[in-house]
Amino acid sequence: MKIVAIGDVHGCVLQLGNILLDDTITGDELIFLGDLFDRSPFLNGDKTVLEIVQTAQESPEEFGFKKITVLRGNHEDALMRAIEEGPDSEIYELWEYNGGDAAFYALGDTYIDWLKTLPVYAVRGDYLFVHAGVRPDVPLEEQDEQDMLWIREEFHDVEDHGLPYTVVHGHTPVDEIEIANKRINLDTGSFFTGNLSYMEFECDNWKKM
């Protein structure tokens, strides 16, 4: 099984289009690692990216894939909670502080049902795809969702996270794709570098989770 994973998009419409319309980038499944929106360098970029991704997910064959999976990132998580708790909530302030746009928030009800369907992680063969990472030495079935959406140093700074997977993640921007011990970081800071990264993976013993 050939998997293509894309790092944090953050409303980068042009870069996303370049990947999706590239006939050489194909496979059995395309996985987005979360953070589709916020901090977009393009006018209405957040809305446009969501529309493109939802359209692609409904018709993956038109983009060269059999299936498209979208994982939840911390920005999806923050927006969902901000919609549920309202614009006077602490989570709304945190979402806005991290690049949330009030005009985009006003459209939130349009996307909330879809956002709630997004899984936090996906296991494909020996790879664990997740937005931020994992809590080291905690079995997958005991991981806290908030850790998998928000964790940073506690995950990055250990030599071995202790899980039997190579963890493919985003969330923490790096200058170029980072390949470390049992983890791969695909977040290359698209919204300020203009570089939206992706990587191809061959997955044996594939199973849907």
Side-chain angles (χ1 to χ4, degrees), residues 133-146:
V134 294
R135 178 71 57 180
D137 299 318
V138 176
L140 180 58
E141 60 274 13
E142 297 177 18
Q143 290 283 331
D144 187 294
E145 284 192 356
Q146 291 298 300

Side-chain angles (χ1 to χ4, degrees), residues 7-205:
D8 305 33
V9 179
H10 283 297
C12 289
V13 180
L14 180 61
Q15 293 87 338
L16 177 60
N18 288 340
I19 293 174
L20 292 179
L21 298 177
D22 187 335
D23 293 338
T24 67
I25 304 174
T26 61
D28 294 286
E29 184 176 9
L30 174 64
I31 298 179
F32 287 92
L33 296 178
D35 283 8
L36 296 178
F37 49 77
D38 295 341
R39 303 192 179 114
S40 175
F42 300 96
L43 181 64
N44 296 321
D46 295 331
K47 177 177 180 291
T48 304
V49 162
L50 279 188
E51 291 174 346
I52 291 172
V53 171
Q54 287 180 315
T55 298
Q57 195 173 38
E58 292 171 358
S59 304
E61 296 85 0
E62 295 183 11
F63 296 87
F65 294 92
K66 296 178 182 177
K67 176 182 178 180
I68 294 178
T69 297
V70 183
L71 300 182
R72 190 186 314 169
N74 64 301
H75 284 260
E76 285 83 10
D77 176 64
L79 177 60
M80 289 167 53
R81 291 160 58 197
I83 292 170
E84 292 173 349
E85 299 181 27
D88 295 325
S89 63
E90 290 185 4
I91 188 62
Y92 178 88
E93 292 182 3
L94 177 63
W95 172 74
E96 193 171 43
Y97 176 77
N98 281 288
D101 176 23
F104 181 62
Y105 178 83
L107 303 173
D109 287 341
T110 305
Y111 306 110
I112 188 66
D113 290 341
W114 180 74
L115 291 172
K116 287 180 178 179
T117 69
L118 304 184
V120 173
Y121 69 90
V123 173
R124 302 291 185 261
D126 295 327
Y127 295 98
L128 169 62
F129 297 88
V130 65
H131 177 64
V134 294
R135 178 71 57 180
D137 299 318
V138 176
L140 180 58
E141 60 274 13
E142 297 177 18
Q143 290 283 331
D144 187 294
E145 284 192 356
Q146 291 298 300
D147 280 338
M148 301 178 90
L149 297 171
W150 293 87
I151 199 167
R152 277 204 168 102
E153 288 82 4
E154 301 95 327
F155 169 60
H156 297 163
D157 293 348
V158 298
E159 185 173 343
D160 186 344
H161 51 68
L163 274 69
Y165 305 103
T166 295
V167 177
V168 182
H169 67 95
H171 185 56
T172 300
V174 287
D175 291 335
E176 56 186 21
I177 292 176
E178 178 186 27
I179 301 177
N181 183 40
K182 292 177 67 177
R183 70 176 183 86
I184 299 172
N185 185 355
L186 299 185
D187 181 5
T188 48
S190 58
F191 66 93
F192 64 89
T193 66
N195 181 21
L196 177 59
S197 292
Y198 69 93
M199 183 176 280
E200 299 177 352
F201 301 87
E202 292 291 338
C203 299
D204 296 327
N205 302 317

